[in-house]
Amino acid sequence: MSFGDPNPNPNNPYGQQPGQPPQGQPGYGHPQTPGIPPQGQPGYGYPQQGQPGYGAQPQFAGWWSRFAALLIDGVIIAIPYGILVGIGAGIGGGAGSAITMLGVLVGIGLGLFKLYKEGTTGQFIGKKALGISLLREADGQPLGFGMAFVRYLAHFVDSIACYIGWLWPAWDSKKQTFADKICSTLVVKAG
């Protein structure tokens, strides 16, 4: 230790008292700015009622933006599927069957990738292009691949009785389909 050293503890290179976080850095579990939660921690990133620093209600995505996102995603999946199946049908025989099977596999693969992206990030290409996101209603986090798959299966309920479930977001207060209600999900305007 040199004369006038502000650090009386030579084992502490930061000059703080023991038990204090380094200056300019938050301690573990402490937000950097009062009232604003740290980024990247579970439970944050979605406006919830009663939380300080957030609005009272998220902005729900409207029916038209949901429909357009579904249409964009459907076209993105259908184009490579349709091209490969069309080529396979045109060629015929063994090679045509192989190309047709490849088209089916590409369609299934893209569909599963869509569910993966919506489950992990809340968005696939259509939702991202329109600035909307699929999130869990409880905490505003992405729902995960498994629940995204369950939500996809629950869309069967939307198709019962003249597809009324698909139209339900047009007048529902939370803009939810029946599948959203079953899985406790919301489609909200992102960022």
Side-chain angles (χ1 to χ4, degrees):
M1 180 163 96
S2 64
F3 180 77
D5 187 358
N7 184 5
N9 184 354
N11 295 329
N12 185 350
Y14 300 109
Q16 281 90 295
Q17 295 295 323
Q20 289 184 345
Q23 293 177 352
Q25 296 180 6
Y28 292 105
H30 298 295
Q32 292 181 349
T33 306
I36 300 176
Q39 297 293 319
Q41 290 190 5
Y44 296 110
Y46 169 73
Q48 295 181 6
Q49 292 180 340
Q51 280 191 344
Y54 290 107
Q57 191 86 321
Q59 293 235 336
F60 303 118
W63 187 86
W64 284 106
S65 59
R66 291 176 63 131
F67 174 74
L70 184 65
L71 188 64
I72 290 168
D73 291 344
V75 167
I76 287 170
I77 293 170
I79 287 176
Y81 165 80
I83 289 172
L84 289 170
V85 168
I87 290 171
I91 292 175
S97 295
I99 293 172
T100 299
M101 182 56 75
L102 177 63
V104 169
L105 292 175
V106 166
I108 291 170
L110 285 172
L112 290 173
F113 184 65
K114 174 188 183 299
L115 292 175
Y116 169 76
K117 291 299 284 181
E118 284 187 347
T120 57
T121 66
Q123 298 175 319
F124 189 55
I125 297 167
K127 283 184 175 61
K128 191 170 211 156
L130 292 165
I132 60 177
S133 188
L134 172 66
L135 304 171
R136 286 190 306 239
E137 187 173 10
D139 62 2
Q141 296 298 311
L143 51 155
F145 174 76
M147 279 307 296
F149 184 75
V150 169
R151 180 179 176 268
Y152 172 77
L153 294 176
H155 278 306
F156 172 77
V157 177
D158 291 329
S159 302
I160 297 174
C162 300
Y163 300 95
I164 194 75
W166 292 100
L167 299 173
W168 203 258
W171 54 79
D172 185 67
S173 63
K174 292 183 182 177
K175 308 289 186 200
Q176 292 175 301
T177 63
F178 295 156
D180 289 323
K181 290 182 181 300
I182 291 168
C183 297
S184 297
T185 57
L186 295 171
V187 179
V188 298
K189 293 182 181 177

